[in-house]
Amino acid sequence: MVSENFIRELESIVGASHVAISSTGIELYSYDASLIKSNPAVVVFPGDTQEVAQVVKAANREGVAYVARGFGTNLSGGTISVTEGLVICMSRFNKILGIYPEDRYAVVQPGKTNLEVQEAVGKHNCFYAPDPASQKVSTLGGNVGENSGGPLCLKYGVTSNHILGMEMVTSDGEVVRVGGPVLDSIPGYDLRGLMVGSEGGLGIITELTLRILPKTETVITMLAIYDDIPSAANSVSRIIAAGIVPNTLEMMDATVIEAVESNKPCGYPRDAAAVLIIEVEGMKTGLKEQADQIQEICMATGCREVRVAGSEAERASLWAGRKGAFGAMAQLAPNYLVNDACVPRTNLPEALEEVAAIADKYHFRCGNVFHAGDGNLHPLLLFDSRNEDDLKRVHKAGWDIMEACVRLGGTITGEHGVGREKQEGMHLVFSGDDLNTQTRLKSAFDPNNKLNPDKVIPLSEPKGQPLPPTPPRTLKRPGGASASGVAEAMAEIKAASASGGSVIPVGAELLETYGNICDASAKPVKSLAMTDVIDYDHENQVITVGSGMSIDDLQALVAEHNQWLPIRPPFFKDGSTMGALAATAVSGPERMYYGAPRDFLMGLQYIDSEGKVISTGGKVVKNVAGYDMTRLLCGSNGTLGMITEGTWRIATKPELCTMTSGTGDLASCSKAAVALMTANLFPVYIAAVPVEGDNWRLTTGFEGLTDVVRHQTDLTSALLAKNGLTDIADKDYDLLTGPFKEYFQGLDQKAYVIKAGAITTKIPELFNGLKMALNGSQPEWFLDFGCGRIYVAVDTLDQQTYDAVCKKIASVGGHIRVDKAPEAFKRSNDVYGTLPRPEWKLMHAIKKALDPKGVFAPGRMQGKI
């Protein structure tokens, strides 16, 4: 129970006017957009981070559970206080703290709505890609908690792909910064990826650093009209298979069309069975040809007609119907249950047939409005909540829809979260061991289970005990312990754990010294036998392979379908494995455009410290079922478990790869790089290497359709010349090796390779500082302006110089990792820097929770843990 003394303490922290205890105030925060309702005992409205920290500490002293929330648009009961505890409302955190187009980031508070952020960055000719349909009322904090997507996520990815950093209050009331404005993430466990989609169960976010992008030059919006739903779904698959990645592929069926047109007509034909809103954007050159190709595909797959928006007003009208669809459905019934599940794109026709059959079975009318491009369904079941029988049946129907989508290889929730509503559904996709692992992870952040407790993970009987190790009830996960080489590795790890020993997972042993040096007693456990192609679904552009498969072999395999994995990891050698790619999360300069391994790895399986196989993620792009263990393991460098297989998103090969380069001094190159960062272009990378004298060669690459690439290189040549660069030239290059392979090989000849991260505009300052610190070391340099990092390679690095390097990097808000160093240096130094970072404490807690005996790679992570 909440005491009067506790309420008085809250009032002393935030002011009496910012504490609600009246029945009206409590009622307003007893529900969200789901069907779940529960009254909190008190609601508090803090105004800054320190007030949140003080409130959390007070709640801990009182033993009161608490949940943070915004405007309550959550659809799964995740923001409801189920313990009659404390609600911490973040609505006063509604400021935009800074917008920085040159470095492509913005800093905002979590109580700002998505649309308000879009409008603010739009004034700087930028946009923030995640755009949920609820953007007028949903806050950034809620978007992060649920890893929301929206129509644009087909091309640009979901929220997790666009969160660079955050300030958060932990369960003990400490304030910690995770990540930062640099695109190249801080080395170590991916805490920002873990926080996104955690539904408020791991910490309270008080500030967000967002990745923003320059607006594109032009956009074409089309409405494709169909007389049957399977034809529309078939069009979606064919468009993606053709190598076209539209901004959006949104589908609505006849029921939704009826609701929208009756509410506020948008031009949708009332006699259609379904419509697709298809949008492409980019350079004017080549865009009409893409739109024409899409129209041809649609007409060849059963489309009745394709209408092209002739003006911005027509485009806005089409989108108003899609974004207002949920609200319009209120005309058709007193209530509707929004279902949220995801299936592989090509299984959409079958999934929609199942949805229709389930709705008919339970006697409900159903409307479908969803993100067809990524297979994320949102069936809306119409019912009357005043009818007790309706309520029982609608919950059963919702469960059946969820189960049907999982049976088709999907997941229980794509973007609306688990919360309370889908807790039992977690058993459909995860084993008991998987869920117990997630419970241990939560305990690392919230040992007393006071931070949004009893959500997401199914509750055990009796409460607090581990769940039985049963397999997933519905989802069939191939591979696992039956895949080649896995059983043998499990046995070795079990033996080490039982004897108090330790192991170090290795592949081709080409990166065995990556990270801090491990304890000498750690026994190598090899993944080279894990070479199975477990599943290759080329139509959905997804492949699952064993960790022992080489990257070269994977690229050769998918090339047969004109596909590739868009990652060129620097310093990787012939034979380097997919397991090494997942474990190290290494990416090259092209990360600026394509993303890092964390952005392509959709799911994985790994052996834990008890020798059990644990599964994470799945094979669909949108998946917020549980904590994001996939991103946590990606980049964990073998310290949390041995990754045995990964499920990777792949892409259609670009037609052409061309780079445009020019020569100038560092100031001119930096000025040109900033101009490229803010231009309406799509550079894959922006990087510079030293040439004669004090000059540099700035190189910008473009990959894609031939006409579009050529047009962008022409514009880039003019931009480089305008900024004072000379000797401007274009050059085509090989897709898989990229333009910098030989240069990175040259850096690797040195004894030490240091990678320093900083925002783009700080690169010159950081370079000059490092150059001074490394005076006399004859360094070799690589400046990655696009990703915000500097590689510097030297033959010698003494303690004094290393300290100076670390301090200089810290002075510009950057981070460091020594990617290569002799054993003697590693024995006396931490390769992650001489200045401990505050987030290391959380990383150590995760390590202790998931590997309590220190079985995996002891000493390798930050702080030599």
Side-chain angles (χ1 to χ4, degrees):
M1 292 289 292
V2 168
S3 69
E4 285 294 324
N5 286 339
F6 178 57
I7 293 171
R8 299 290 85 80
E9 185 174 6
L10 294 178
E11 291 175 343
S12 71
I13 295 169
V14 303
S17 62
H18 298 304
V19 176
I21 56 173
S22 68
S23 58
T24 302
I26 296 301
E27 175 73 15
L28 288 173
Y29 294 90
S30 67
Y31 59 90
D32 55 18
S34 71
L35 300 179
I36 296 171
K37 187 173 181 179
S38 180
N39 286 340
V42 59
V43 183
V44 65
F45 302 84
D48 60 39
T49 300
Q50 289 305 317
E51 287 186 357
V52 174
Q54 290 178 61
V55 166
V56 167
K57 290 177 179 178
N60 287 336
R61 287 192 296 270
E62 190 76 9
V64 174
Y66 45 94
V67 53
R69 64 173 279 165
F71 293 166
T73 59
N74 165 62
L75 285 151
S76 57
T79 54
I80 303 300
S81 173
V82 297
T83 60
E84 296 185 0
L86 170 67
V87 165
I88 303 173
C89 183
M90 304 295 288
S91 57
R92 293 174 65 199
F93 283 72
N94 57 1
K95 297 181 181 65
I96 292 176
L97 304 176
I99 299 172
Y100 309 93
E102 298 86 357
D103 292 303
R104 294 192 175 186
Y105 77 94
V107 183
V108 305
Q109 291 184 321
K112 207 71 173 169
T113 67
N114 184 286
L115 184 60
E116 288 172 332
V117 171
Q118 300 285 9
E119 291 172 344
V121 300
K123 295 175 183 176
H124 295 263
N125 197 39
C126 296
F127 72 102
Y128 173 62
D131 61 335
S134 60
Q135 64 181 182
K136 288 183 179 180
V137 290
S138 63
T139 61
L140 262 292
N143 293 172
V144 170
E146 303 292 359
N147 197 16
S148 300
L152 284 179
C153 79
L154 172 62
K155 181 174 182 178
Y156 293 102
V158 292
T159 296
S160 190
N161 304 113
H162 300 275
I163 299 297
L164 300 175
M166 61 189 68
E167 178 187 75
M168 59 182 280
V169 176
T170 63
S171 65
D172 58 2
E174 297 299 315
V175 180
V176 176
R177 285 194 174 272
V178 172
V182 183
L183 176 60
D184 189 32
S185 59
I186 291 173
Y189 300 153
D190 191 348
L191 297 179
R192 63 190 173 110
L194 189 59
M195 284 295 297
V196 178
S198 64
E199 303 192 32
L202 304 181
I204 300 175
I205 295 170
T206 56
E207 183 182 292
L208 288 161
T209 303
L210 314 176
R211 186 187 187 196
I212 58 175
L213 299 169
K215 285 184 177 178
T216 50
E217 192 174 62
T218 190
V219 62
I220 297 174
T221 306
M222 296 166 278
L223 183 73
I225 303 163
Y226 295 84
D227 293 323
D228 65 275
I229 291 176
S231 293
N234 191 25
S235 292
V236 171
S237 295
R238 289 281 298 277
I239 290 167
I240 301 295
I244 303 170
V245 184
N247 290 14
T248 57
L249 280 167
E250 298 288 295
M251 188 186 295
M252 290 174 282
D253 71 2
T255 302
V256 177
I257 292 170
E258 174 195 337
V260 169
E261 289 299 305
S262 298
N263 179 50
K264 187 177 180 181
C266 298
Y268 303 156
R270 289 177 178 267
D271 64 338
V275 295
L276 282 176
I277 298 179
I278 309 170
E279 196 165 81
V280 290
E281 68 173 7
M283 311 299 297
K284 289 180 180 178
T285 300
L287 198 64
K288 185 179 183 302
E289 288 75 10
Q290 285 187 54
D292 289 344
Q293 187 179 356
I294 287 172
Q295 291 184 57
E296 290 175 7
I297 291 171
C298 290
M299 298 306 295
T301 49
C303 180
R304 180 210 299 177
E305 177 189 0
V306 179
R307 301 175 185 173
V308 180
S311 65
E312 180 57 32
E314 289 183 20
R315 175 177 179 262
S317 180
L318 291 178
W319 277 114
R322 167 60 185 92
K323 294 196 173 184
F326 280 26
M329 291 293 288
Q331 301 173 95
L332 303 184
N335 305 94
Y336 58 79
L337 175 66
V338 182
N339 294 273
D340 166 55
C342 211
V343 298
R345 190 167 43 238
T346 56
N347 288 344
L348 274 174
E350 190 175 351
L352 291 169
E353 287 180 10
E354 292 254 19
V355 168
I358 291 166
D360 185 61
K361 172 184 174 182
Y362 289 101
H363 309 296
F364 289 117
R365 191 178 182 190
C366 180
N368 288 285
V369 52
F370 57 95
H371 313 299
D374 47 45
N376 188 193
L377 288 86
H378 295 320
L380 308 177
L381 297 173
L382 306 179
F383 73 103
D384 187 343
S385 63
R386 296 167 296 185
N387 185 315
E388 196 67 32
D389 184 57
D390 265 18
L391 270 174
K392 291 179 181 178
R393 286 185 294 110
V394 79
H395 282 297
K396 289 180 180 179
W399 177 273
D400 285 1
I401 288 172
M402 182 169 59
E403 193 170 25
C405 290
V406 173
R407 194 164 53 247
L408 291 170
T411 188
I412 61 173
T413 174
E415 61 182 349
H416 293 173
V418 177
R420 284 288 277 190
E421 193 170 76
K422 293 189 173 182
Q423 277 179 285
E424 283 304 306
M426 291 279 280
H427 287 295
L428 301 178
V429 292
F430 292 116
S431 72
D433 288 333
D434 302 337
L435 295 170
N436 290 330
T437 300
Q438 293 193 38
T439 299
R440 288 196 294 273
L441 176 65
K442 177 170 170 58
S443 71
F445 286 79
D446 182 23
N448 297 317
N449 195 32
K450 296 298 181 184
L451 182 52
N452 203 10
D454 300 344
K455 308 279 180 65
V456 181
I457 302 169
L459 302 179
S460 60
E461 292 290 343
K463 188 176 178 180
Q465 295 300 307
L467 293 164
T470 52
R473 293 179 190 166
T474 304
L475 184 64
K476 305 299 181 186
R477 293 186 184 263
S482 64
S484 298
V486 176
E488 294 81 356
M490 291 171 67
E492 290 186 71
I493 292 167
K494 284 180 181 178
S497 178
S499 65
S502 59
V503 301
I504 177 170
V506 296
E509 297 189 74
L510 299 173
L511 295 167
E512 70 273 14
T513 61
Y514 197 78
N516 282 320
I517 195 165
C518 289
D519 291 352
S521 60
K523 176 185 176 184
V525 178
K526 294 191 175 184
S527 66
L528 287 182
M530 303 174 190
T531 57
D532 292 353
V533 179
I534 295 165
D535 179 38
Y536 180 21
D537 185 350
H538 65 87
E539 290 185 301
N540 286 300
Q541 299 188 326
V542 176
I543 188 167
T544 304
V545 298
S547 294
M549 174 176 282
S550 73
I551 300 175
D552 300 331
D553 286 347
L554 180 135
Q555 297 286 26
L557 173 65
V558 301
E560 297 176 9
H561 290 278
N562 193 38
Q563 294 173 341
W564 75 306
L565 178 64
I567 302 174
R568 307 181 188 107
F571 308 117
F572 273 44
K573 302 174 178 64
D574 294 342
S576 292
T577 62
M578 296 302 297
L581 181 62
T584 60
V586 171
S587 61
E590 69 284 343
R591 178 198 178 149
M592 173 189 182
Y593 180 78
Y594 291 116
R598 73 187 294 275
D599 302 306
F600 291 93
L601 193 57
M602 301 163 66
L604 55 83
Q605 297 195 47
Y606 72 98
I607 305 171
D608 73 359
S609 61
E610 297 178 357
K612 299 176 181 177
V613 173
I614 304 299
S615 301
T616 76
K619 62 173 289 185
V620 288
V621 175
K622 293 173 74 175
N623 186 354
V624 288
Y627 302 124
D628 197 342
M629 300 283 295
T630 302
R631 283 192 169 90
L632 177 64
L633 266 292
C634 185
S636 63
N637 208 14
T639 62
L640 298 179
M642 181 175 187
I643 298 172
T644 59
E645 66 185 63
T647 298
W648 300 85
R649 176 174 59 85
I650 51 180
T652 302
K653 284 186 174 182
E655 291 180 356
L656 181 66
C657 302
T658 301
M659 60 182 181
T660 301
S661 59
T663 300
D665 60 23
L666 181 58
S668 298
C669 288
S670 177
K671 184 180 177 183
V674 169
L676 286 164
M677 292 283 282
T678 56
N680 299 120
L681 298 168
F682 302 94
V684 172
Y685 50 82
I686 306 169
V689 297
V691 287
E692 65 279 353
D694 291 328
N695 285 329
W696 294 77
R697 188 81 179 165
L698 183 72
T699 301
T700 304
F702 298 95
E703 301 175 6
L705 299 173
T706 300
D707 290 345
V708 179
V709 168
R710 294 297 187 207
H711 179 59
Q712 291 189 93
T713 56
D714 290 343
L715 294 174
T716 300
S717 295
L719 185 151
L720 298 184
K722 182 180 179 181
N723 285 276
L725 273 64
T726 60
D727 190 23
I728 296 168
D730 294 340
K731 182 180 179 181
D732 297 347
Y733 56 87
D734 178 74
L735 172 68
L736 296 183
T737 59
F740 301 118
K741 183 175 181 178
E742 290 184 4
Y743 198 85
F744 279 117
Q745 287 175 341
L747 294 179
D748 199 28
Q749 299 306 304
K750 297 281 190 176
Y752 299 83
V753 178
I754 300 168
K755 185 176 76 170
I759 56 176
T760 299
T761 53
K762 292 285 187 181
I763 291 291
E765 179 184 345
L766 179 56
F767 166 76
N768 288 322
L770 293 177
K771 183 180 179 181
M772 185 177 297
L774 294 166
N775 185 35
S777 301
Q778 296 185 319
E780 297 286 343
W781 301 92
F782 184 93
L783 309 186
D784 184 348
F785 285 99
C787 293
R789 53 192 173 192
I790 294 178
Y791 290 94
V792 55
V794 294
D795 282 322
T796 60
L797 185 65
D798 59 40
Q799 187 65 57
Q800 184 177 356
T801 303
Y802 186 47
D803 289 342
V805 165
C806 292
K807 288 177 182 177
K808 182 58 196 177
I809 293 170
S811 74
V812 297
H815 55 264
I816 182 175
R817 181 176 64 202
V818 181
D819 281 354
K820 180 185 179 185
E823 181 177 325
F825 175 88
K826 287 190 171 188
R827 290 205 178 278
S828 57
N829 287 282
D830 194 312
V831 302
Y832 297 99
T834 58
L835 304 172
R837 300 181 63 96
E839 68 268 23
W840 289 10
K841 180 181 176 181
L842 288 175
M843 294 183 189
H844 294 172
I846 292 170
K847 170 71 172 173
K848 185 176 180 180
L850 299 187
D851 183 19
K853 296 180 181 179
V855 173
F856 287 105
R860 190 176 240 186
M861 68 177 292
Q862 287 88 336
K864 296 201 166 188
I865 299 297

